[in-house]
Amino acid sequence: MSLALSCNSLSVTLKLSTSKTPKTKILNILSIKPHGSIHRISTQFLSQFTAKSPVNPKLKPNLQTHPIRSLFTGIVEEMGEVKQVGTNKDGGFDLKICAKTVLEGVNLGDSIAVNGTCLTVTNFTDQEFTVGLSPETLRKTSLIELESGSLVNLERAVQPTSRMGGHFVQGHVDGTGEIVGKDAEGDSLWVKVKVDERLLKYVVPKGFIAVDGTSLTVVDVFDDEGCFNFMLVAYTQQKVVIPLKKVGQKVNLEVDILGKYVERLLSSGIVESIRSS
């Protein structure tokens, strides 16, 4: 099995061969829930691999900690299938995904967004590719919930000649949300997501948001519930993984970068500086 991390120099590559590793050893690493639901890494493993570094309480949360190295549009190119996910002998995490479209012209070191998370290709064949996952990526995203057979949204980094069909997506997940409602209306699907207020303040009605790497338009924001919703038309439902997820499952969220830039500029005192000049 294998998993993957963010597209920076700290990404690690790990592999766990289910064909060579005793089943008891795998189960010690991955606790699989019955009935084909989500697997989670053991508590003991997580405490070592994803332990948070000491945080200065005086520092404000930084939603963007990595430089922009790749850019995406949030228009999913295809859904890939997870082939392997797990740890390797070096203590890292790998994610191996079967795909087709995103492998066209791929090179080692290329960036591919997996459920909206920018990850670096560390190995590939004509049918699959491998990416490495860092502890920070496992802490901040829903990728830790993936298991063999899971479907994931895939998008290659945009090229200068590409059409911008969605919005600017960096592939740097700001946090996760929880699906709390799914309701059909005709052939469309309403999806309601609960999110921490730290992220909800950047979500605005009719604004952009990337959900599992899918560029979507927010319909309404419910501040009293800590939620927002969006609607998926029939075509989109067939092309992305969101409709396949159940109420209670997590989705990766990346808010529109414009709001973060505006907040940063306002907090820097630039407005007062301009007025005084």
Side-chain angles (χ1 to χ4, degrees):
M1 299 181 142
S2 47
L3 267 173
L5 268 176
S6 62
C7 55
N8 54 35
S9 58
L10 297 179
S11 56
V12 245
T13 299
L14 302 170
K15 295 180 180 178
L16 179 60
S17 174
T18 54
S19 60
K20 298 180 181 180
T21 307
K23 183 177 180 181
T24 53
K25 184 174 181 181
I26 296 174
L27 294 180
N28 285 335
I29 298 175
L30 302 178
S31 177
I32 310 296
K33 290 185 177 181
H35 309 302
S37 60
I38 303 168
H39 86 259
R40 296 183 184 279
I41 310 306
S42 67
T43 304
Q44 182 179 7
F45 176 75
L46 275 179
S47 64
Q48 299 176 16
F49 191 69
T50 63
K52 293 183 179 180
S53 304
V55 177
N56 186 339
K58 296 182 179 180
L59 295 179
K60 295 182 179 180
N62 184 4
L63 295 181
Q64 175 56 45
T65 58
H66 306 298
I68 301 175
R69 298 186 179 182
S70 301
L71 194 64
F72 305 90
T73 67
I75 304 300
V76 176
E77 294 188 273
E78 68 173 319
M79 287 190 286
E81 181 177 345
V82 174
K83 183 176 181 180
Q84 291 181 341
V85 53
T87 58
N88 65 19
K89 62 180 181 179
D90 299 319
F93 234 84
D94 263 6
L95 180 63
K96 183 179 288 187
I97 300 171
C98 295
K100 182 178 179 180
T101 301
V102 298
L103 292 176
E104 297 174 2
V106 70
N107 293 292
L108 291 178
D110 281 357
S111 297
I112 294 179
V114 180
N115 277 358
T117 308
C118 179
L119 301 172
T120 301
V121 176
T122 58
N123 197 4
F124 69 91
T125 67
D126 59 349
Q127 296 181 327
E128 61 190 37
F129 68 97
T130 300
V131 287
L133 295 171
S134 68
E136 181 69 0
T137 301
L138 292 174
R139 283 194 295 263
K140 294 294 181 65
T141 73
S142 64
L143 297 183
I144 198 171
E145 296 184 341
L146 296 177
E147 61 181 344
S148 180
S150 295
L151 295 179
V152 290
N153 292 330
L154 300 175
E155 182 191 356
R156 291 168 292 184
V158 68
Q159 295 179 325
T161 56
S162 301
R163 292 185 178 91
M164 286 296 296
H167 73 283
F168 291 118
V169 179
Q170 300 174 78
H172 297 153
V173 175
D174 292 313
T176 59
E178 178 185 343
I179 297 176
V180 294
K182 293 174 63 181
D183 298 288
E185 182 178 347
D187 62 355
S188 295
L189 180 67
W190 285 97
V191 181
K192 194 172 188 178
V193 177
K194 186 175 181 61
V195 64
D196 186 273
E197 62 179 12
R198 182 178 67 91
L199 289 182
L200 190 63
K201 65 180 179 179
Y202 298 104
V203 183
V204 298
K206 306 304 182 289
F208 286 123
I209 192 166
V211 181
D212 275 347
T214 306
S215 176
L216 297 169
T217 301
V218 176
V219 177
D220 290 306
V221 177
F222 309 93
D223 291 308
D224 55 335
E225 301 178 41
C227 299
F228 69 92
N229 67 359
F230 55 88
M231 178 176 275
L232 300 175
V233 298
Y235 177 84
T236 306
Q237 292 176 51
Q238 299 170 12
K239 303 296 181 180
V240 301
V241 302
I242 300 170
L244 303 178
K245 292 191 172 183
K246 301 177 181 179
V247 171
Q249 284 192 258
K250 292 181 179 180
V251 289
N252 291 327
L253 301 175
E254 182 183 332
V255 298
D256 191 359
I257 192 174
L258 179 60
K260 292 185 282 186
Y261 276 129
V262 171
E263 181 184 55
R264 178 69 172 173
L265 288 171
L266 292 176
S267 64
S268 69
I270 189 171
V271 175
E272 289 73 13
S273 176
I274 294 175
R275 286 176 177 173
S276 62
S277 62

